[in-house]
Amino acid sequence: TAAAFWHGFRQYASKVTTAEADRLTTQKMYSQARESAQTAIRYDSFNGYAHYHLGYLELLLDRHPEAIRAFQKAQPYMPHLTLLLKMLAQAYYFSGEFEKAVEAFDAYFAVDPMPRTGADNLYRLWAQALSQTRGFGRATIVLSKADSFESYRYELIQTRILNAILLNQTLMAD
């Protein structure tokens, strides 16, 4: 029928437009990519990847409340996407919603305890969110985990010392 055809067309158009948003993001054409993601959502509001991609773009553009809303809309359609949890945690952190950031980091690290990239930085953000919510004991444990990754960069030693002071932690020599 015509209704089924129209529905199928809208789903297809949404997927194509989401792919276009991804391509534009790769080319660092963020405002055009954002428009494409929004168009994809207008075609099919159930396209979780389009919502996720819009959230990712909002996060790149430092539009944290908008990123949070987009990620929350994507969650029912993308419960298997660990990147969604990671990005949502970062959006909460950068918007100053530290308790929600801790919850999102807890959920993320429960399913992906050893991220392939940026693990040390993600663990540091988690520790900082924990310290903002007065979870100093957990923050110390998480911060020690951040320091355990081989990708630990010694140029971050000042940050490590400041974190130790803020967390009232004794800094151990390497």
Side-chain angles (χ1 to χ4, degrees):
T1 68
F5 173 78
W6 182 242
H7 180 73
F9 170 78
R10 291 176 64 86
Q11 284 182 324
Y12 175 76
S14 181
K15 289 178 183 178
V16 169
T17 311
T18 302
E20 177 68 8
D22 186 46
R23 185 186 65 76
L24 290 166
T25 302
T26 302
Q27 295 176 346
K28 299 184 190 239
M29 300 172 71
Y30 300 131
S31 65
Q32 294 94 328
R34 189 171 169 265
E35 288 174 26
S36 289
Q38 290 171 328
T39 300
I41 292 167
R42 281 193 299 275
Y43 279 130
D44 180 8
S45 63
F46 300 108
N47 182 342
Y49 284 107
H51 287 288
Y52 164 77
H53 202 80
L54 179 61
Y56 175 70
L57 288 161
E58 299 291 18
L59 192 59
L60 283 175
L61 297 170
D62 291 329
R63 298 169 47 101
H64 304 120
E66 293 85 352
I68 291 168
R69 279 193 296 277
F71 290 139
Q72 287 172 334
K73 286 180 182 176
Q75 265 186 319
Y77 313 115
M78 310 294 296
H80 62 283
L81 188 62
T82 56
L83 283 176
L84 176 65
L85 291 171
K86 177 172 80 170
M87 296 298 174
L88 180 59
Q90 291 177 73
Y92 279 134
Y93 177 86
F94 291 120
S95 69
E97 296 183 51
F98 300 113
E99 288 187 20
K100 290 181 179 179
V102 168
E103 288 175 20
F105 276 123
D106 286 346
Y108 170 69
F109 283 113
V111 293
D112 190 9
M114 298 294 288
R116 290 179 294 164
T117 58
D120 56 331
N121 291 329
L122 288 171
Y123 273 95
R124 282 181 209 298
L125 280 181
W126 189 19
Q128 290 171 359
L130 283 162
S131 71
Q132 291 292 326
T133 60
R134 317 289 292 164
F136 299 120
R138 280 188 69 204
T140 302
I141 294 166
V142 170
L143 191 59
S144 68
K145 178 75 173 173
D147 287 344
S148 72
F149 289 100
E150 287 184 27
S151 60
Y152 178 75
R153 298 183 310 253
Y154 288 99
E155 65 267 17
L156 294 176
I157 192 71
Q158 289 176 320
T159 303
R160 185 176 174 206
I161 291 170
L162 289 174
N163 283 340
I165 292 168
L166 289 173
L167 298 173
N168 198 19
Q169 167 188 342
T170 304
L171 187 65
M172 304 301 285
D174 289 336

